[in-house]
Every structure is written in structure tokens, then in C-alpha cells.
Amino acid sequence: MRPACVLVGLMGAGKTTVGTALAERLGVGFRDTDHDVEAIAGKPVSDIFIDDGEDHFRALERQAVAAALDSFDGVLALGGGAVLAEETRAVLAGHTVVFLSVELGDAVKRVGLGAGRPLLALNPRATLRHLMQQRAPLYREVASHVVVTDGREPDEVTDEILTLLKR
């Protein structure tokens, strides 16, 4: 069993919105590994960061991603930082991975000023810029396809992914 499609990208790229629509159109389930981590920990991601630290969150995230890749056949969205782990990038090999690319302006509009986003607590715009620079090469490394989401409606992005999946 393997996911129909794995979505990666920065917060605000549209992984949840597009992933939910894509799953519906494919007639499969949608799963977000951040929700899996919350279920394992019994608390929200923001509380895991505060109470247990980012390293603990990342360890839970690696476990959640590996488990989902082995046991889920729908559309899987990974947390924005999941690709930071080399072992996660390795287990993504052979999967259909779509990088939802977003530029800074659109990402800021979509995530706002970071409410509930632990990594955006201090300076959202500067932090997003840094995260983009750090993570974009890793997203591209694991991606089978890159889909630009800037200035586009979720249905347009979903249509493009469906076309890519049929190839």
C-alpha cells in the first residue's frame, strides 16, 4: 500500500486545502502527518514545540511519515519541515511527490501572522523567507512534480495535479 500522492511544501502552500480537494476528486482519503503527530502526542503541534521542543516534534514527525507511507493509500500531506530529515527524504524515493511551490507574498497572505505556527512566533515574514531558502532545495530533491500555487485557486492547482498523476 502506498499513497496516491504525497504533497510537500512550505506552510501556506495549500497542502491541506489542495490535498483535501485532490483526495475527494480521486475518491480516496486525505491524511496530514501533522495531525498524526498530534494524535500520537495527545496535544497540538504548537504545544509539542513549547513543552517538548522541536527535536522531539521532528522525531515524532519522522515516525508519522514513515508509518503513513507504509499504510495509507490516499493523498498524504507532510508537515512543512518533514523534508529536513534525511531519512524522510530517503523513504520518499519511489513515491509520487508533488511540491506545492509558493512565493513569500502568497505564503504570508495565507498563513497570516503565524497564529498557531510555532516557527513563526517572532518575525513571520523573515522566518518564512529563511524557511523557503532552507527548504526549497529539499522539496525539489524529493519532488516528482513541482506545481506553482501563487495567485491560483485551489481547484486550478488540483486540476494540474490530476493531469500530472495521469501521466
Side-chain angles (χ1 to χ4, degrees):
M1 183 177 292
R2 58 191 305 113
C5 175
V6 180
L7 301 178
V8 298
L10 197 66
M11 60 186 85
K15 297 182 301 288
T16 300
T17 302
V18 170
T20 302
L22 181 61
E24 186 176 304
R25 301 258 303 269
L26 289 171
V28 298
F30 173 75
R31 185 168 169 179
D32 182 327
T33 58
D34 278 350
H35 295 151
D36 292 351
V37 169
E38 291 177 339
I40 292 166
K43 55 186 163 183
V45 168
S46 56
D47 289 351
I48 300 168
F49 267 77
I50 292 166
D51 298 344
D52 308 308
E54 183 175 358
D55 288 344
H56 181 70
F57 169 77
R58 295 294 175 203
L60 294 175
E61 181 177 57
R62 287 190 301 276
Q63 293 170 5
V65 170
L69 289 173
D70 283 341
S71 65
F72 182 66
D73 63 356
V75 175
L76 181 65
L78 304 191
V83 297
L84 295 171
E86 188 173 326
E87 68 187 76
T88 296
R89 294 193 308 275
V91 296
L92 285 170
H95 288 276
T96 301
V97 179
V98 177
F99 166 29
L100 296 181
S101 173
V102 64
E103 293 299 322
L104 184 62
D106 275 25
V108 168
K109 287 179 204 167
R110 294 175 188 171
V111 299
L113 296 177
R117 308 254 187 185
L119 292 178
L120 299 183
L122 297 176
N123 184 337
R125 185 175 285 278
T127 301
L128 271 173
R129 181 179 291 113
H130 169 74
L131 293 175
M132 283 180 159
Q133 291 168 345
Q134 175 192 43
R135 296 175 182 179
L138 302 176
Y139 295 139
R140 290 185 189 287
E141 177 186 323
V142 300
S144 311
H145 308 286
V146 177
V147 175
V148 176
T149 66
D150 298 288
R152 299 175 73 191
E153 292 298 319
D155 282 344
E156 293 176 77
V157 175
T158 302
D159 288 343
E160 181 175 344
I161 296 171
L162 283 169
T163 299
L164 293 169
L165 293 179
K166 290 176 185 174
R167 290 183 185 168

